[in-house]
Amino acid sequence: MSRIVTLLAALIALAAGFAVYNFWPEEKPEALVYEPPRALKPFTLESTAAGTVENDALKGQWTLLFTGYTFCPDICPTTMSDLKGVIPELQREVSEPVKVWLISVDPKRDDIERLTQYVNYFGDDFVGVRAEHKELFPFVRDLGLMYSIPDEGEENYLVNHSAAIILVNPDGNRKAIFNADHQRGEIPVVSMDKLKKDFAIIAD
């Protein structure tokens, strides 16, 4: 009788384990994930890595796109430094290269030479891209981001811009957006812990 009880207990435990394995809800990313991924409209930008780039430059790699500018005092250098720290961990999750594109939203002051010096400080995985406002604004808007334009003739100014990071998949399509955390008294930046966790789920 005890053998039958033991066997029944084992079968119940096995069935319970099977149910948990098959029906436990999948972990969901906190990022906004686009299903299906969204194609980007045609664009042409200047690049610190390859002269002029178009949509095909995003293919064959995972790309994190971030708006910023070289005169930015807080959000940009913080985010760039944070991304530099997590790139090796993100790279272990995928076979394709992981790159960061800094999209300059200060075309007046960020020429390609200055932008090159800036992104080179962070390493080979970082690329700077720029364009004049008439080409830049539609590209940034298509990503779901924004930036402000200084008044005519203004020399010393800050550029208000989105702090979110866009993830583009190896097909060159927008896959997700990592929004910044807004904590009172702190600059709004994307949590790298959340980004790493979400990236592992999204890229799986």
Side-chain angles (χ1 to χ4, degrees), residues 92-163:
R92 286 195 285 270
E93 299 289 341
V94 292
S95 58
E96 302 89 353
V98 179
K99 300 291 183 180
V100 175
W101 276 23
L102 171 64
I103 306 163
S104 172
V105 289
D106 188 8
K108 182 178 178 180
R109 295 181 295 187
D110 282 350
D111 57 28
I112 201 67
E113 290 77 20
R114 182 178 177 86
L115 193 56
T116 299
Q117 291 179 351
Y118 188 81
V119 297
N120 283 353
Y121 173 80
F122 296 97
D124 295 339
D125 297 319
F126 289 77
V127 175
V129 295
R130 70 170 305 284
E132 296 305 315
H133 173 68
K134 63 179 181 178
E135 293 87 19
L136 177 66
F137 182 77
F139 174 66
V140 172
R141 182 177 57 188
D142 187 38
L143 292 172
L145 304 177
M146 57 73 65
Y147 67 95
S148 66
I149 306 169
D151 292 334
E152 187 71 28
E154 196 170 352
E155 295 297 331
N156 297 314
Y157 54 86
L158 298 176
V159 180
N160 294 319
H161 61 89
S162 302

Side-chain angles (χ1 to χ4, degrees), residues 12-202:
I12 291 170
L14 182 63
F18 179 80
V20 169
Y21 179 81
N22 283 277
F23 301 109
W24 194 267
E26 291 184 12
E27 193 170 16
K28 300 293 184 182
E30 294 185 48
L32 172 61
V33 179
Y34 299 106
E35 293 292 358
R38 298 183 180 179
L40 293 175
K41 294 179 181 178
F43 64 81
T44 301
L45 305 168
E46 289 183 81
S47 166
T48 60
T52 300
V53 292
E54 298 180 344
N55 297 61
D56 283 349
L58 290 169
K59 293 183 178 179
Q61 63 188 40
W62 290 92
T63 315
L64 297 160
L65 280 69
F66 173 69
T67 53
Y69 62 112
T70 64
F71 287 88
C72 179
D74 41 37
I75 296 175
C76 308
T78 299
T79 300
M80 295 283 279
S81 296
D82 288 348
L83 287 171
K84 181 180 180 179
V86 302
I87 285 291
E89 296 178 66
L90 302 183
Q91 189 61 75
R92 286 195 285 270
E93 299 289 341
V94 292
S95 58
E96 302 89 353
V98 179
K99 300 291 183 180
V100 175
W101 276 23
L102 171 64
I103 306 163
S104 172
V105 289
D106 188 8
K108 182 178 178 180
R109 295 181 295 187
D110 282 350
D111 57 28
I112 201 67
E113 290 77 20
R114 182 178 177 86
L115 193 56
T116 299
Q117 291 179 351
Y118 188 81
V119 297
N120 283 353
Y121 173 80
F122 296 97
D124 295 339
D125 297 319
F126 289 77
V127 175
V129 295
R130 70 170 305 284
E132 296 305 315
H133 173 68
K134 63 179 181 178
E135 293 87 19
L136 177 66
F137 182 77
F139 174 66
V140 172
R141 182 177 57 188
D142 187 38
L143 292 172
L145 304 177
M146 57 73 65
Y147 67 95
S148 66
I149 306 169
D151 292 334
E152 187 71 28
E154 196 170 352
E155 295 297 331
N156 297 314
Y157 54 86
L158 298 176
V159 180
N160 294 319
H161 61 89
S162 302
I165 297 173
I166 303 295
L167 178 65
V168 173
N169 68 16
D171 293 325
N173 297 324
R174 186 171 38 154
K175 179 63 178 177
I177 179 170
F178 305 101
N179 285 307
D181 287 340
H182 292 267
Q183 303 288 342
R184 187 172 183 178
E186 299 181 8
I187 60 172
V189 292
V190 172
S191 165
M192 291 298 120
D193 287 336
K194 292 179 182 178
L195 187 148
K196 288 187 295 182
K197 181 180 177 182
D198 287 351
F199 183 84
I201 299 170
I202 295 167

